[in-house]
Amino acid sequence: MEKDKESVFNSVPEFEYQEKAVSIDAAEFVKLCESRRSVRVFENAPIPEDVVEKCLDLAMLAPNSSNLQPWEFYWPKSADKKRQVVEACLGQPAASTAAEIIVVVARTKTWKKHARQMVELFKTSEQKVPDSALSYYEKIVPFAYTQGPLSIIGLFKRVTLFFLGFFRPIPREPVNHQQMILWASKTAALACENLMLAFRAFGYDTCPMEGLDSRRMRKILGLPRDAVVVMAIGAGQRSARGVYGPRIRFPRDQFIKRI
Amino acid sequence: MEKDKESVFNSVPEFEYQEKAVSIDAAEFVKLCESRRSVRVFENAPIPEDVVEKCLDLAMLAPNSSNLQPWEFYWPKSADKKRQVVEACLGQPAASTAAEIIVVVARTKTWKKHARQMVELFKTSEQKVPDSALSYYEKIVPFAYTQGPLSIIGLFKRVTLFFLGFFRPIPREPVNHQQMILWASKTAALACENLMLAFRAFGYDTCPMEGLDSRRMRKILGLPRDAVVVMAIGAGQRSARGVYGPRIRFPRDQFIKRI
C-alpha cells in the first residue's frame, strides 16, 4: 500500500487527457469579491428557482478532499420548514428576511459509498485510468478515513504514523472522529464560498450564519448521525439597510507571513 | 448580555450606511468555476509577485466568523524554506512543481486581539456604530470563544446552553478547543476558495493539499501553539499534464436535499 501511496503522491501517472486553462476576466472576479458583503436584511423578493439550482451546481464545483464530496445542501422549500430553519438561526434578520436559506452540511461517513462510486466510475471509464488512481480509492482512502468505534483504529494509525514520521514526511490526519468532522467541514466550507460568490454573481446576496442552534437544526433537517451543520446561508435581494457598515479588515501584515 | 445578544441577533441596528449591489458578469464566474481544476503539475514559470499579493488580498475578502479573521497565510520565499514545505507536502508534484505555495493556517486564539481591534476601530470610527455592535465584541465574543484550560469554561457553557436550549433556540458551539479549531478552520477554508479562484482568474492554477505532514509543517513555519494547518495550496502555470482527468461529480440529487 505504501508503494501505491508513493506512486500516487510522488509520480505523475500515465494518462491521455488535457484541459487547457481558459482565460478569465480577472477584473470581474475582483469586482465580485469586493461587492460580496454579508447582507443581513433582504428585500421581500424571490430568487428564481433556476438561479438557486445553478448556484448550488457552482458550489459543488469547489475542490474537495480526494473528490469524496462529503457535502450536502439542505434547502427548505415549504413555508413551515423554512420558518423552523429561521428559528434555528435564532430568528436573525439575515434568515427571517431571506428569500432562500441553504443549510450546508458535512458528512463524515459518506466517503465509503463515494469511494466505491469512484472505483465504479474508473472501471467503466472510456478514459484510461491509471492503476494508482484505482488503488488510491480501493486501499489508501479506506486506510486514511476509517477511524473505528471510539476512533480506536485512528489511535492505532496515529501511533503508527508517529513512528513512521521519524523517518519520512507522512500525513498525520485524520486519526479520530473530531478530525473527520474537521476534514468534511473544510471541504464543505470551500463549497460555501462558491455558493455565496455565485449568488452575488447572479445579482443576489448572502449572509453566512454559524451562530445557530445546531441541535434544533439537526432535528429540523432530519440529519443522520454522521452529519454536521457547517453553516446556514441566507440569500436574497440586498436591502438598502442590508449592509451594516464598511468592510473592516485588519492590516494585511497581521495575516501574510513571508518566511 | 442576553439583551445585547437579542438586539444583535434579532433587530436591525440604527446606522447610516449604504452599499449598493453592483452588477457582475455571471457567465464569467461560471466560466471561472468550471475552469478551476486541481492542477497537479505546473510549468517552470513564475507568478508575478504582485499577482500573488493581489490573490492573497482577495482571499481575505472572504466572509469570516464575526469578522475575527482567524486566518493566516504562510508564504515561503526562500528556496530553502520552499524545499522544506514541499517535503512536508510529501514531495507531491503539485508542490514540487509549484511556482508558489501558500500554507493557509487557522488561529484559535487571535480572536482576543482582533475583538479588541474591532472595539478600537468602532470607538474611533467616523461612522456611527450601534451600541449593540460594540457590546457584541466587548461581551458576547469573549463569552462565545473563551473555553478555558481543558475547555472547562466551555463545558460550563455547554451545560448552561443545554438547559437554556429547552426554552429557546441558542447557539451550541464552540464549547471546546476542538470546536475552536473547527470554527477557525471553516473561516480559513472560505479564504482558501477565494485564493484558488483568484489565481485562476489571473490565469494561474492551484492544487489544494491536505495530505501533508502537519507536524513537520508546524516546525517549518514556526507556528504558534494555537495555530492549525488548514491546507497548503500550490500555485503556478498549468502544465498540459496538470489535470489528471475529466472532473467527476456524483449525481446532484445525492447532495441537494429539498425539505
Side-chain angles (χ1 to χ4, degrees), chain A residues 93-256:
Chain A
S96 61
T97 69
E100 304 290 347
I101 302 174
I102 305 293
V103 185
V104 182
V105 163
R107 297 288 302 272
T108 60
K109 294 242 165 82
T110 52
W111 64 264
K112 295 176 190 175
K113 177 190 173 196
H114 295 171
R116 285 194 300 270
Q117 280 182 283
M118 286 299 286
V119 171
E120 285 159 26
L121 284 165
F122 283 165
K123 287 182 171 169
T124 57
S125 165
E126 288 158 13
Q127 294 270 346
K128 178 183 171 301
V129 176
D131 298 342
S132 59
L134 253 177
S135 65
Y136 181 76
Y137 286 100
E138 286 179 326
K139 298 176 187 171
I140 295 173
V141 160
F143 174 80
Y145 298 115
T146 301
Q147 310 305 341
L150 301 173
S151 302
I152 188 69
I153 297 172
L155 179 64
F156 169 77
K157 282 190 293 184
R158 185 177 176 180
V159 173
T160 311
L161 294 171
F162 175 79
F163 288 108
L164 275 175
F166 283 118
F167 307 106
R168 58 185 182 83
I170 193 129
R172 307 283 178 161
E173 297 88 14
V175 292
N176 58 48
H177 183 61
Q178 278 297 331
Q179 289 176 356
M180 289 302 290
I181 291 173
L182 182 59
W183 166 79
S185 298
K186 278 194 279 182
T187 275
L190 297 177
C192 288
E193 184 59 8
N194 268 26
L195 184 60
M196 290 186 274
L197 290 172
F199 275 116
R200 182 77 278 280
F202 281 95
Y204 298 93
D205 280 284
T206 56
C207 184
M209 293 170 278
E210 289 181 271
L212 51 77
D213 190 323
S214 59
R215 193 183 177 88
R216 277 183 167 77
M217 192 69 87
R218 295 184 67 84
K219 291 202 187 101
I220 295 162
L221 305 181
L223 293 186
R225 290 195 53 168
D226 74 305
V228 178
V229 176
V230 175
M231 65 185 73
I233 295 173
Q237 190 183 306
R238 182 185 302 204
S239 153
R241 307 176 307 142
V243 179
Y244 285 4
R247 185 188 335 249
I248 296 173
R249 289 294 184 269
F250 307 131
R252 69 201 299 277
D253 298 354
Q254 283 179 231
F255 304 102
I256 299 171

